[in-house]
Amino acid sequence: MSAESLAADIDDLYRRAVEHPTEVDEPVLIEWAETAAETTGHDRDQAKVVRRTIRTARKLVRYWTEHDPSPLPDWHNGVDEALGGQGWRAQLDTLRFALDKAPDPEVFDLVKERHRIVHFTEWMEGVSYEEWLEGR
């Protein structure tokens, strides 16, 4: 599984936790974690991301079980409301780990995008992928 794919799977789990929190119970989380672990292999860094994802999904479920998500303009706002920028850290970490292991311009751009969402600051502002790769 690519980092982009894992980040998309995390997004999907979070979307379900916001939009349909009662459907994201422990068996669903266990199944999601097992599938993610199978596809990421024995990568220690990605295993940390999977554990963080499950903890974050549980927080989203708890929050949105007690609140009505229907007024939200988008499920992303539900993650932001419940957890702030730190709710997106799992996706950022999985992309960062992938970028460190196998540099790729698309993943570089995704890290820049997710970093801004998590930290509210730019990462490598004005630096191209090629410049970053050269300076590594």
Side-chain angles (χ1 to χ4, degrees):
M1 172 183 285
S2 71
E4 299 96 326
S5 179
L6 180 57
D9 286 350
I10 295 169
D11 282 348
D12 183 57
L13 179 63
Y14 289 2
R15 179 192 54 76
R16 291 186 307 167
V18 170
E19 293 177 346
H20 308 288
T22 58
E23 295 174 12
V24 182
D25 55 11
E26 280 305 305
V28 168
L29 293 173
I30 290 168
E31 181 181 339
W32 187 93
E34 288 172 351
T35 302
E38 287 172 9
T39 56
T40 58
H42 298 289
D43 185 293
R44 186 175 174 183
D45 291 330
Q46 294 297 21
K48 289 179 185 178
V49 169
V50 169
R51 288 190 301 273
R52 174 178 282 142
T53 298
I54 297 303
R55 286 191 307 270
T56 302
R58 283 183 181 125
K59 290 176 187 177
L60 288 170
V61 166
R62 277 193 302 272
Y63 184 88
W64 289 109
T65 298
E66 297 173 4
H67 297 82
D68 178 15
S70 63
L72 295 171
D74 183 76
W75 70 268
H76 295 91
N77 298 88
V79 175
D80 292 337
E81 180 177 323
L83 304 171
Q86 292 303 307
W88 303 104
R89 189 173 208 75
Q91 293 92 324
L92 173 60
D93 287 347
T94 197
L95 294 166
R96 246 192 221 148
F97 297 146
L99 186 63
D100 286 343
K101 289 181 182 177
D104 176 90
E106 290 177 28
V107 176
F108 177 81
D109 289 340
L110 290 171
V111 169
K112 287 178 86 166
E113 175 187 321
R114 295 292 178 141
H115 185 275
R116 185 177 59 254
I117 293 169
V118 172
H119 297 288
F120 304 105
T121 61
E122 297 295 325
W123 177 76
M124 295 290 152
E125 185 175 8
V127 176
S128 70
Y129 169 74
E130 292 77 17
E131 292 168 328
W132 171 81
L133 191 58
E134 228 176 71
R136 254 180 78 130

